[in-house]
Amino acid sequence: MNQAKIKNILLAAGAMNIGAVLLFSRFFTNSVINEADPVVMSNFGLVMIVVWGFAYLGAATVNANIKYIAGAFALEKLVYVVVWVHWISTNALAPVYEADLMAGVFFTIYGINDLAFMVLFFMIFKSKFDIKSDR
């Protein structure tokens, strides 16, 4: 995978983490998100998702081989996907939507978004082991 594609993936991941959290949490004032998952999606948890977004943006500026950083990012996304699958399978979305549309949408899509970026980060990680892929 070439450097321009890697940079665009990292920029998109950063923008999604930062932008989605700020939008759906209404700049950390949407208590429905906190109440629906008080451990992972507390305001502290949401701030940490934003911090990961800044880490992705920072990694986008690196022009060296970032295979192990991309691997770490893939693992981080895997954790959120597993947490989301568990949450979706043990909670009902309807009450969240009834309490707040933005919170409902957030819980509907965040795991899918993380799965997509997990795959992309894994592709970056894997591609860096294949010298031909950098051409």
Side-chain angles (χ1 to χ4, degrees):
M1 188 174 300
N2 70 40
Q3 194 64 31
K5 286 180 187 174
I6 292 169
K7 181 177 183 174
N8 287 337
I9 290 168
L10 291 164
L11 291 173
M16 286 300 293
N17 266 47
I18 297 165
V21 165
L22 294 178
L23 174 70
F24 290 107
S25 75
R26 294 187 183 97
F27 288 83
F28 309 108
T29 64
N30 188 342
S31 63
V32 176
I33 290 175
N34 309 134
E35 293 162 7
D37 189 346
V39 175
V40 178
M41 297 302 168
S42 65
N43 275 346
F44 174 79
L46 294 172
V47 167
M48 293 313 299
I49 293 169
V50 170
V51 169
W52 275 107
F54 283 113
Y56 305 146
L57 294 179
T61 67
V62 175
N63 290 320
N65 185 343
I66 64 162
K67 66 181 170 191
Y68 295 112
I69 294 171
F73 290 165
L75 286 173
E76 177 260 342
K77 289 297 188 186
L78 174 62
V79 168
Y80 279 98
V81 169
V82 169
V83 167
W84 177 76
V85 167
H86 175 72
W87 191 92
I88 285 289
S89 65
T90 58
N91 292 276
L93 277 170
V96 179
Y97 273 99
E98 289 171 13
D100 183 78
L101 176 64
M102 296 291 276
V105 172
F106 177 81
F107 278 99
T108 300
I109 65 171
Y110 95 78
I112 297 164
N113 177 74
D114 285 346
L115 176 64
F117 280 107
M118 179 192 77
V119 169
L120 291 169
F121 289 148
F122 181 76
M123 289 172 58
I124 295 168
F125 174 72
K126 185 178 173 284
S127 76
K128 291 303 177 178
F129 289 100
D130 180 10
I131 296 171
K132 293 177 188 175
S133 69
D134 287 335
R135 292 184 186 161

